C-alpha cells in the first residue's frame, strides 16, 4: 500500500509552476492544485518515514535509519523545489531500482568475496556459541528443571521451573530471564504466565524439532530439553578460550585454533570444526572456477551449451516468426485476423504451465509425442534429445513474440523501397535479402539482443523441464542441459540444502559480466546505441 | 492457378503449418482438461470424452487453494503491472523529453542493470527480506506487498526503453505549443502525452501482467504458505513427484482457467500490440 500513494503522489504534484520550464518566462502562479499536490507529497513522505522509523530505532539499526533520513530529505527537497524537473519523474522508479535491484546486486558482489554458506553464516561469536552449546552433554548430578513449552511474540521459549525453589525462568537462545507472576500447576509445570502463550502437548509435539534444537546458554554450560516436560543443564565439553583464540575439548584435550583466513577452527591435522564464521576470502571464489579442475571442466561445458541454447533460441524463434510475418504481410492473404489470433495464442498461454505440459508431452512412457510418432524415445533422459526438446519448446513459446515485432517492423518499412527493387529487376528473394532483411535487422537488433540476454538466463525452461538433467552417473552436480544460472542455483544449495552462497555469488557475477559484455559489444556493432540515445 | 499458388498459396501453407504447430499443445491441454479420467497417460490429442470433472475437482479439493491462488495472482499481477508501468513511463517521459546531466549514463546504467537478472541476486534478496520480515512483517515473506515491492525493483528497464522509443515519435511540437499556451510540465504529461500514448501503455501493462503471472522463481522462494501462493507456485506443486500423472487433468484445467484473462485481453488489444511492440512504427 505504501508504494502506490507515493507513486501517484509524485505525479499528482501536477501543479502549475511555469518556473519549471526553461522556455517559459511567465511569473509563477500559486494555485490550489499546486498547494494540494505539495501537501499530498509531503504527507505521504512523512507517513512513510513515520512508518519506517520506529522499528529501526527499536532494533538499533542506525545505518538504515540514516539512509531513510537522507532519502526522505532528498525526496522532500526534490518535490518541494521548483527545479530538478527530471528528478521528479525519475525518483519513484529509481528508489525501487536501488532498493530491490542495485542493492541486491551489490550485496551479491560483496558476497562473492566471502565464504558465506553452510557452516559460515554468522559472526565468530555466533560460531563459538554454536560450537559450545552444540557440545552439551548431561553429566551426573547436573540440575534438572520442569519444562513448559511456550511462545512469546511467536517465538519458542522454555519456561523452566526449578523443582526445589519453584522459581520460574524463561530460556531462549539468548539466555535466561526471570519470569514473575507465573501460575504453577500441581505437576510443577507452568499453567499460565503473563506475556506467554503456553502450548499444549500436541501443539508442542508438532514443533519437536525446534524444541530439541533450542539450546539455552548458561554460565556453566547450557540447558536443553529432554522430551517435552523435562530439561537438564549440561556441561559443554568444547570451550572457547580467548587467550589462545582456540576451542578446546575438555574430555579429549583436543585443540582447534582459529584461522581467520578461512573462518574456521582448525586442529593440528588441518581438520576444521563444522561451525565456522563468515570471513572475506578475497578472490578465492573466482579463482576456484578456473583452478578447480572439476569445476572448470563443468564451467566450460555449461558455458558452451548455454551460448548454443541462447543463440538457437533467438535464431529459431526469429526465423520462424519472420517467415510467418512475411507470409501474412500481403494484401492478398485473407483471414489475417484469424491467423494472427491463433499464432499469438502460445504467447498468451501461461508459459510456466505450458513448459510443464511440454515436459509431459515428451514423457517416454505416456507422452503424446512418442504416442503420435509411435516411438519409444527417452527424450528428456538423453543429452541430445533433451537439448533438442528444450529448443523446440522454446521455439513454440517464443516465436509469437518475434512474429509480432516483425509484423510491426515490416509495417514501418516503406513499400516504395521494395517496389523500387522489383522495378530494377530484383527477384523477390533478392528484394528480401538486400532491402527488407537489413531494414528489419536495424529495427529489431535491440530486441534480438535482449532476447538473447533473456534466454541466456532462461532458468524457467531448464528448471521446469529437465532440471538440468540428464546427469552423468558419476556426477550429480552438473547436468547436460544445465545453464550457468541453473548450475548456480544448485551450487547455492536451494535444492540440496548444502549451501555455498559465496561461490554461487561469484558465478552470478561471472554470468553478469558475460551477458553484459556480449550485449554491449552487440549494441556497439549495430550502432543501436545511437538510437537508444537519440 | 499456378500463379495464385506462387503468390498467395505458399503463404497459406506456411501459415496453416505454423498455426498447427502453435495450436497442438493447446488442443492437447484442452482435451486433457476435458478428459474424464484426468491422467496424463489417458490424455490424447483429440478429446476422448467431455466432462467438467477436472474443473470441479480443481475448485473443490480441500488441499488445493486454486481460487485463492487465482486471486493472489490477479491482485499481484494487476497491482504490479499498473505500478511498474506508471514508474517506467514517468522515467521514459523524462528520458525522452528532457535533457539533463547524467541522462546518457542513466540510460546505459539501466541497460546494464537489466542484464543482471533479479533472480541471480536471490541470495542477497533472501538476506534483505529476512531483515525486512523482522522489521516490517507486513512487507516480509509470504506477503503480497513484499513480493510487489520486489517486482517493482525491475520496473525501470525494458519497458522504459520501449516507451521512450514510442515517446520519441510523438512530435515535440505538441509539448511546445502547450508550453506556449501556459501549460506546466505536469499538465502536459497528464493531459496531452498520457492520452496519446494510452495504447502502448495498455500493451506494456499487459506484457508486464503476463510476465508477473508467469513469474515462478522468486515467488517460489518468497511465498511458502499454501494460502499466500500464486498460481505459478501453487500449480507447480500439483505436478511434483508421484502425483504428476494423476493430477494432469486438473493441471490442464487450471492452465486453461489461468489463460482466460490473458488471452481475453490479448485478443482485445491485438492490433495495438503489433504497433506498440515496435515502438517507433506508428504515430499517435
Amino acid at each position: 500500500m505504501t508504494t502506490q500513494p507515493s507513486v501517484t503522489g509524485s505525479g499528482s504534484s501536477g501543479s502549475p509552476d511555469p518556473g519549471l520550464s526553461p522556455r517559459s518566462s511567465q511569473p509563477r502562479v500559486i494555485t490550489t492544485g499546486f498547494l494540494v499536490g505539495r501537501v499530498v507529497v509531503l504527507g505521504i513522505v512523512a507517513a512513510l518515514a513515520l512508518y519506517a522509523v520506529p522499528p529501526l530505532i527499536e532494533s538499533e539499526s542506525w545505518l538504515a535509519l540514516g539512509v531513510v533520513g537522507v532519502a526522505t530529505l532528498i525526496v522532500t527537497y526534490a518535490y518541494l523545489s521548483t527545479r530538478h524537473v527530471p528528478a521528479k519523474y525519475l525518483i519513484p522508479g529509481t528508489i525501487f531500482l536501488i532498493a530491490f535491484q542495485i542493492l541486491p546486486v551489490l550485496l551479491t558482489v560483496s558476497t562473492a568475496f566471502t565464504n558465506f554458506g553452510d557452516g559460515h553464516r554468522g559472526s565468530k561469536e555466533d560460531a563459538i556459541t554454536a560450537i559450545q552449546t552444540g557440545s552439551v552433554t548431561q553429566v551426573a548430578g547436573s540440575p534438572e528443571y520442569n519444562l513448559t513449552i511456550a511462545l512469546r511474540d511467536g517465538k519458542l521459549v522454555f519456561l523452566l521451573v526449578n523443582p526445589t525453589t519453584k522459581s520460574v525462568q524463561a530460556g531462549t537462545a539468548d539466555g535466561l530471564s526471570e519470569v514473575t507472576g507465573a501460575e504453577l500447576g500441581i505437576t510443577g509445570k507452568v499453567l499460565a504466565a503473563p506475556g506467554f502463550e503456553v502450548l499444549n502437548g500436541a501443539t508442542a509435539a508438532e514443533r519437536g524439532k525446534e524444541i530439541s534444537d533450542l539450546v539455552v546458554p548458561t554460565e556453566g554450560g547450557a540447558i536443553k530439553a529432554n522430551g517435552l516436560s523435562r530439561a537438564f543443564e549440561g556441561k559443554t565439553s568444547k570451550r572457547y578460550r580467548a587467550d589462545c583464540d582456540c576451542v578446546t575439548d575438555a574430555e579429549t584435550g583436543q585443540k582447534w585454533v582459529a584461522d581467520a583466513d578461512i573462518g574456521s577452527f582448525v586442529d593440528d591435522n588441518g581438520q576444521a570444526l563444522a561451525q565456522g564464521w563468515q570471513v572475506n576470502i578475497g578472490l578465492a571464489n573466482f579463482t576456484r572456477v578456473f583452478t578447480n579442475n572439476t569445476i572448470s571442466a563443468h564451467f566450460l561445458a555449461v558455458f558452451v551449451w548455454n551460448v548454443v541454447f541462447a543463440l538457437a533460441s533467438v535464431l529459431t524463434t526469429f526465423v520462424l516468426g519472420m517467415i510467418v510475418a512475411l507470409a501474412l504481410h500481403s494484401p492478398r492473404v485473407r483471414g489475417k485476423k484469424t491467423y494472427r489470433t491463433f499464432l499469438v495464442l502460445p504467447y498468451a498461454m501461461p508459459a510456466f504451465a505450458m513448459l510443464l505440459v511440454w515436459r509431459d508431452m515428451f514423457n517416454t512412457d505416456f507422452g503424446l509425442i512418442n504416442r503420435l510418432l509411435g516411438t519409444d524415445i527417452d527424450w528428456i533422459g538423453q543429452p541430445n534429445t533433451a537439448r533438442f526438446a528444450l529448443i523446440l519448446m522454446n521455439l513454440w513459446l517464443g516465436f509469437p513474440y518475434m512474429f509480432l515485432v516483425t509484423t510491426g517492423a515490416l509495417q514501418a518499412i516503406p513499400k516504395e523501397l521494395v517496389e523500387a527493387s522489383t522495378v530494377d529487376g530484383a527477384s523477390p528473394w533478392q528484394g528480401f535479402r538486400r532491402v527488407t532483411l537489413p531494414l528489419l535487422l536495424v529495427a529489431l537488433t535491440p530486441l534480438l539482443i535482449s532476447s538473447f540476454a533473456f534466454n541466456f538466463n532462461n532458468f524457467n525452461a531448464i528448471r521446469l523441464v529437465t532440471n538440468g538433467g540428464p546427469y552423468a552417473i558419476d556426477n550429480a552436480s552438473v547436468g547436460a542441459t544445465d545453464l550457468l544460472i541453473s548450475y548456480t542455483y544448485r551450487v547455492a544449495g536451494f535444492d540440496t540444502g548444502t549451501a555455498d552462497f559465496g561461490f554461487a555469488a561469484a558465478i552470478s557475477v561471472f554470468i553478469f559480466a558475460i551477458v553484459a559484455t556480449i550485449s554491449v559489444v552487440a549494441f556497439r556493432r549495430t550502432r543501436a546505441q545511437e538510437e537508444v540515445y537519440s | 492457378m499456378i500463379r495464385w499458388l506462387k503468390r498467395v498459396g505458399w503463404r497459406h501453407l506456411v501459415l496453416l503449418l505454423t498455426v498447427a504447430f502453435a495450436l497442438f499443445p493447446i488442443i492437447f491441454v484442452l482435451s486433457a482438461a476435458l478428459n474424464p479420467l484426468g491422467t496424463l497417460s489417458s490424455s490424447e490429442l483429440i478429446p476422448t470424452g467431455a466432462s467438467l470433472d477436472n474443473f470441479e475437482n480443481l475448485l473443490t479439493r480441500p488441499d488445493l487453494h486454486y481460487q485463492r491462488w487465482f486471486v493472489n495472482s490477479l491482485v499481484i499481477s494487476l497491482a504490479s503491472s499498473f505500478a511498474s508501468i506508471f514508474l517506467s513511463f514517468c522515467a521514459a517521459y523524462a528520458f525522452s523529453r528532457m535533457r539533463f546531466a547524467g541522462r546518457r549514463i542513466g540510460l546505459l546504467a539501466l541497460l546494464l542493470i537489466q542484464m543482471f537478472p533479479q533472480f541471480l541476486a536471490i541470495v542477497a534478496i533472501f538476506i534483505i527480506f529476512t531483515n525486512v520480515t523482522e522489521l516490517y512483517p507486513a512487507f516480509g515473506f509470504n506477503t503480497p506487498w513484499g513480493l510487489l515491492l520486489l517486482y517493482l525493483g525491475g520496473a525501470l528497464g525494458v519497458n522504459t526503453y520501449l516507451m521512450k522509443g514510442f515517446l520519441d515519435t510523438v512530435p515535440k511540437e505538441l509539448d511546445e505549443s502547450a508550453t506556449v499556451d501556459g501549460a506546466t510540465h505536469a499538465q502536459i504529461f497528464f493531459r496531452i502525452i498520457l492520452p496519446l500514448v494510452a495504447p502502448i501503455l495498455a500493451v506494456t501493462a499487459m506484457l508486464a501482467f503476463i510476465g508477473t503471472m508467469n513469474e515462478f522463481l522468486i515467488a517460489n522462494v518468497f511465498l511458502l504458505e499454501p494460502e499466500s501462493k500464486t498460481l505459478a507456485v501453487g500449480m507447480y506443486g500439483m505436478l511434483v513427484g508421484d502425483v504428476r500423472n494423476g493430477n494432469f487433468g486438473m493441471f490442464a484445467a487450471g492452465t486453461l482457467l489461468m489463460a482466460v484473462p490473458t488471452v481475453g485481453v490479448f485478443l482485445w488489444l491485438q492490433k495495438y500490440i503489433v504497433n506498440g511492440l515496435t515502438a517507433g512504427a506508428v504515430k499517435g
Side-chain angles (χ1 to χ4, degrees):
Chain A
M1 267 317 276
T2 47
T3 59
Q4 257 124 332
S6 76
V7 168
T8 30
S10 66
S12 66
S13 63
S15 45
D17 52 11
L20 299 180
S21 170
R23 279 164 298 196
S24 168
S25 55
Q26 289 163 346
R28 183 169 159 182
V29 192
I30 305 234
T31 63
T32 345
F34 174 86
L35 284 176
V36 170
R38 294 298 133 109
V39 168
V40 168
V41 169
L42 270 190
I44 290 164
V45 170
L48 277 179
L50 278 181
Y51 175 81
V53 165
L56 291 179
I57 294 178
E58 206 175 301
S59 64
E60 304 186 356
S61 318
W62 306 125
L63 184 67
L65 190 66
V67 172
V68 169
V70 171
T72 311
L73 283 181
I74 292 177
V75 172
T76 315
Y77 169 73
Y79 288 108
L80 282 186
S81 142
T82 52
R83 300 175 56 227
H84 311 294
V85 181
K88 290 185 211 293
Y89 288 91
L90 288 170
I91 279 179
T94 312
I95 289 178
F96 286 102
L97 185 75
I98 291 174
F100 299 111
Q101 191 99 33
I102 296 181
L103 185 64
V105 168
L106 293 180
L107 258 178
T108 306
V109 173
S110 67
T111 308
F113 293 98
T114 70
N115 62 350
F116 185 40
D118 269 358
H120 297 273
R121 282 175 192 268
S123 65
K124 191 173 176 182
E125 284 71 37
D126 295 340
I128 291 168
T129 316
I131 289 170
Q132 293 191 156
T133 54
S135 68
V136 176
T137 44
Q138 189 168 13
V139 286
S142 64
E144 290 224 10
Y145 298 91
N146 290 326
L147 171 68
T148 312
I149 313 292
L151 291 180
R152 181 171 55 190
D153 304 330
K155 284 199 183 122
L156 207 61
V157 181
F158 285 169
L159 290 176
L160 302 160
V161 184
N162 186 318
T164 44
T165 64
K166 302 285 181 210
S167 68
V168 184
Q169 288 175 302
T172 65
D174 298 328
L176 288 169
S177 56
E178 291 297 323
V179 176
T180 49
E183 190 186 323
L184 292 185
I186 191 133
T187 56
K189 289 186 69 163
V190 176
L191 294 180
F196 295 91
E197 183 197 337
V198 174
L199 299 181
N200 62 32
T203 327
E206 276 175 21
R207 308 178 74 140
K209 172 89 174 81
E210 280 175 77
I211 291 167
S212 59
D213 284 349
L214 181 58
V215 179
V216 182
T218 59
E219 293 215 349
I223 298 174
K224 291 187 83 167
N226 183 6
L228 290 179
S229 53
R230 310 282 297 165
F232 65 89
E233 180 169 350
K235 295 241 178 306
T236 52
S237 61
K238 292 199 180 74
R239 299 298 305 261
Y240 174 74
R241 279 172 39 203
D243 56 334
C244 64
D245 196 14
C246 64
V247 170
T248 51
D249 193 309
E251 284 160 26
T252 62
Q254 209 180 350
K255 190 168 144 189
W256 291 266
V257 183
D259 184 336
D261 288 336
I262 59 168
S264 294
F265 290 101
V266 188
D267 67 7
D268 297 338
N269 303 325
Q271 290 291 319
L273 287 173
Q275 203 66 43
W277 64 97
Q278 196 180 330
V279 289
N280 195 328
I281 53 166
L283 290 169
N285 282 325
F286 294 96
T287 49
R288 211 168 121 196
V289 174
F290 300 108
T291 52
N292 183 320
N293 282 335
T294 11
I295 293 173
S296 59
H298 292 175
F299 199 84
L300 193 67
V302 172
F303 176 70
V304 169
W305 155 244
N306 202 344
V307 172
V308 169
F309 172 75
L311 274 182
S313 294
V314 175
L315 279 182
T316 51
T317 51
F318 176 60
V319 168
L320 181 60
M322 186 182 65
I323 289 176
V324 185
L326 285 172
L328 205 58
H329 188 66
S330 157
R332 292 194 189 85
V333 177
R334 298 203 165 186
K336 268 194 181 143
K337 222 179 151 186
T338 320
Y339 276 129
R340 202 157 61 187
T341 304
F342 286 134
L343 287 170
V344 298
L345 271 185
Y347 191 44
M349 294 292 287
F352 89 93
M354 293 312 289
L355 282 169
L356 292 170
V357 168
W358 271 98
R359 180 188 72 178
D360 286 331
M361 293 202 303
F362 278 114
N363 190 303
T364 320
D365 303 318
F366 25 68
L368 184 70
I369 310 259
N370 271 345
R371 278 190 283 153
L372 282 184
L373 299 177
T375 50
D376 191 23
I377 301 172
D378 184 9
W379 290 97
I380 306 293
Q382 301 172 42
N384 285 327
T385 49
R387 289 178 184 138
F388 170 79
L390 278 172
I391 292 174
L392 183 74
M393 65 186 76
N394 227 14
L395 169 64
W396 183 84
L397 281 171
F399 89 88
Y401 174 77
M402 291 295 181
F403 160 69
L404 286 170
V405 294
T406 319
T407 306
L410 276 178
Q411 286 170 356
I413 296 178
K415 284 195 180 53
E416 294 77 20
L417 284 177
V418 187
E419 278 163 16
S421 74
T422 318
V423 171
D424 288 348
S427 70
W429 168 247
Q430 282 173 321
F432 166 74
R433 179 83 186 71
R434 299 279 162 81
V435 181
T436 317
L437 187 61
L439 286 172
L440 271 184
L441 284 178
V442 166
L444 296 182
T445 303
L447 293 177
L448 293 179
I449 292 173
S450 55
S451 166
F452 176 84
F454 172 80
N455 278 306
F456 196 87
N457 292 310
N458 196 339
F459 185 90
N460 261 354
I462 304 299
R463 165 89 175 150
L464 296 179
V465 178
T466 63
N467 203 7
Y471 296 92
I473 301 165
D474 56 338
N475 187 350
S477 67
V478 64
T481 57
D482 254 329
L483 299 185
L484 288 171
I485 193 165
S486 59
Y487 179 55
T488 311
Y489 184 84
R490 198 163 312 114
V491 171
F494 288 101
D495 287 335
T496 54
T498 51
D500 193 347
F501 295 141
F503 183 54
I507 297 184
S508 297
V509 172
F510 266 118
I511 299 177
F512 173 58
I514 292 168
V515 180
T517 313
I518 293 174
S519 307
V520 168
V521 169
F523 267 110
R524 289 206 170 219
R525 283 183 62 95
T526 56
R527 280 168 295 148
Q529 253 159 330
E530 295 307 317
E531 293 188 14
V532 168
Y533 291 142
S534 69
Chain B
M1 185 61 192
I2 291 185
R3 194 178 140 83
W4 182 87
L5 271 182
K6 221 177 152 185
R7 303 190 71 167
V8 189
W10 71 269
R11 295 175 187 271
H12 283 288
L13 187 69
V14 167
L15 290 168
L16 286 174
L17 282 177
T18 320
V19 166
F21 174 58
L23 285 190
F24 97 96
I26 300 177
I27 294 173
F28 176 64
V29 171
L30 189 67
S31 59
L34 294 176
N35 177 3
L37 291 177
T39 60
L40 173 62
S41 41
S42 65
S43 296
E44 300 282 345
L45 189 57
I46 309 299
T48 44
S51 103
L52 295 177
D53 289 358
N54 286 321
F55 290 92
E56 206 189 314
N57 273 339
L58 181 73
L59 299 178
T60 54
R61 236 175 67 173
D63 59 322
L64 301 177
H65 301 81
Y66 190 83
Q67 284 107 317
R68 190 63 195 266
W69 298 339
F70 204 98
V71 173
N72 287 345
S73 272
L74 273 187
V75 169
I76 293 178
S77 306
L78 278 177
S80 147
S81 60
F82 275 103
S84 73
I85 290 312
F86 190 85
L87 295 182
S88 51
F89 186 69
C90 283
Y93 178 71
F95 279 128
S96 168
R97 285 306 201 254
M98 299 167 189
R99 295 292 176 269
F100 49 90
R103 179 174 169 275
R104 286 176 68 106
I105 301 279
L107 278 167
L108 188 66
L110 265 191
L111 193 77
L112 281 178
I113 294 281
Q114 285 306 308
M115 303 290 168
F116 199 103
Q118 217 173 15
F119 176 68
L120 273 184
I122 192 77
V123 173
I125 288 174
F126 195 83
I127 300 169
I128 293 177
F129 271 90
T130 308
N131 290 326
V132 170
T133 312
E134 250 166 50
L135 293 172
Y136 315 101
F139 295 92
F141 289 120
N142 284 318
T143 64
W145 300 120
L147 192 59
L148 184 62
L149 287 181
L150 195 49
Y151 286 158
L152 289 185
L156 300 192
V158 180
N159 285 338
T160 315
Y161 275 91
L162 222 55
M163 290 194 237
K164 177 188 167 289
F166 193 91
L167 273 177
D168 287 342
T169 67
V170 176
K172 288 202 173 54
E173 288 77 16
L174 285 175
D175 307 29
E176 276 156 18
S177 63
T179 314
V180 170
D181 290 347
T184 66
H185 70 92
Q187 282 172 330
I188 296 174
F189 180 82
F190 281 102
R191 304 248 175 97
I192 298 175
I193 304 289
L194 214 53
L196 268 182
V197 298
I200 191 173
L201 289 189
V203 169
T204 31
M206 195 201 61
L207 296 182
F209 179 82
I210 293 180
T212 321
M213 278 290 248
N214 278 308
E215 205 286 318
F216 166 74
L217 296 163
I218 294 180
N220 195 26
V221 175
F222 209 89
L223 307 169
L224 301 168
E225 306 277 335
E227 299 268 302
S228 67
K229 285 180 179 175
T230 56
L231 279 172
V233 181
M235 281 172 62
Y236 179 66
M238 289 168 61
L239 279 195
V240 177
D242 302 334
V243 294
R244 179 167 153 195
N245 184 20
N247 277 350
F248 192 73
M250 279 197 294
F251 181 82
T255 308
L256 285 182
L257 288 182
M258 185 181 173
V260 168
T262 15
V263 172
V265 179
F266 216 100
L267 297 181
W268 177 44
L269 290 174
Q270 218 194 99
K271 67 173 176 178
Y272 295 122
I273 295 172
V274 172
N275 298 339
L277 279 177
T278 29
V282 262
K283 297 200 179 190

